[in-house]
Amino acid sequence: MGGHRTFRPSILANQMKEYGVVNIGAAGTFVVCKRVSQTRFRSELIRRLPFEPEIMMCTPRELITAATHNPFDGEPPRSDITRFVSVLAKSPKLLPSIPIRIPEHGKWLLRILARHDRFLFGVYRREMKAIACLGAIDKLFGAPATTRNWNTIQAILKVLENGCDEQYRK
């Protein structure tokens, strides 16, 4: 936002089509459909961006395994609550007791309900103050994190489930 550290994910995905990159949403979430090492893809991504990014990567197996442990199964979504997954850059240095509620007292704005390895599952209220609470995740777990809506995670899983073939042909 505001022109700082911005890029157009759809354009970048198109520029990296030799890797079978599928762009999910507008926040720089990609699925890489062709086999390539994370090291190689990371360096290619960094080379093409106009700033030094914080990049979170995971394998399809890691994401699929984590998603099978999600706490949202069987619960219908609520219009006033956003379900999310935060992906930590590395295994957490700190392991706070879960569930976590922010703030600890009074009306909660964000709750972390479960953790599977580097994946944190939670909910936040659809209020501006709640978005600021997402920044506390990095400090709580001692590692940088990126957060995506559960719907985005489901879209990624759908691309993986389809073997990327359908998405890659577009």
Side-chain angles (χ1 to χ4, degrees), residues 6-108:
T6 61
F7 71 102
R8 302 267 314 268
S10 59
I11 292 172
L12 181 60
N14 192 46
Q15 291 171 349
M16 299 183 76
K17 61 184 169 192
E18 70 266 23
Y19 298 102
V21 174
V22 176
N23 179 47
I24 307 286
T29 303
F30 303 115
V31 177
V32 180
C33 292
K34 291 193 174 178
R35 287 195 176 273
V36 60
S37 76
Q38 285 189 7
T39 303
R40 180 175 173 200
F41 186 76
R42 180 185 301 271
S43 63
E44 184 65 22
L45 191 59
I46 289 169
R47 186 181 72 76
R48 292 176 184 259
L49 288 170
F51 56 87
E52 184 71 28
E54 187 73 55
I55 299 172
M56 310 306 167
M57 291 184 159
C58 61
T59 66
R61 178 177 285 168
E62 287 175 307
L63 183 62
I64 292 165
T65 300
T68 63
H69 293 90
N70 85 74
F72 309 129
D73 275 350
E75 283 190 36
R78 290 179 36 189
S79 62
D80 61 331
I81 302 291
T82 298
R83 301 183 295 184
F84 71 86
V85 176
S86 289
V87 181
L88 299 167
K90 54 189 174 189
S91 293
K93 291 180 184 177
L94 308 169
L95 290 173
S97 182
I98 292 177
I100 296 170
R101 149 190 183 117
I102 302 173
E104 286 185 48
H105 305 290
K107 179 181 172 184
W108 65 268

Side-chain angles (χ1 to χ4, degrees), residues 98-160:
I98 292 177
I100 296 170
R101 149 190 183 117
I102 302 173
E104 286 185 48
H105 305 290
K107 179 181 172 184
W108 65 268
L109 295 172
L110 180 140
R111 293 186 344 201
I112 297 174
L113 307 171
R115 180 184 72 82
H116 181 78
D117 194 29
R118 299 184 303 130
F119 299 86
L120 307 172
F121 297 86
V123 292
Y124 64 82
R125 294 186 190 277
R126 291 185 190 250
E127 297 178 19
M128 288 306 290
K129 289 188 261 179
I131 303 300
C133 294
L134 289 169
I137 292 172
D138 300 49
K139 290 180 184 128
L140 281 169
F141 288 87
T146 189
T147 300
R148 296 296 184 265
N149 187 300
W150 178 242
N151 295 336
T152 300
I153 300 300
Q154 289 179 307
I156 294 167
L157 293 168
K158 188 171 205 134
V159 170
L160 294 172

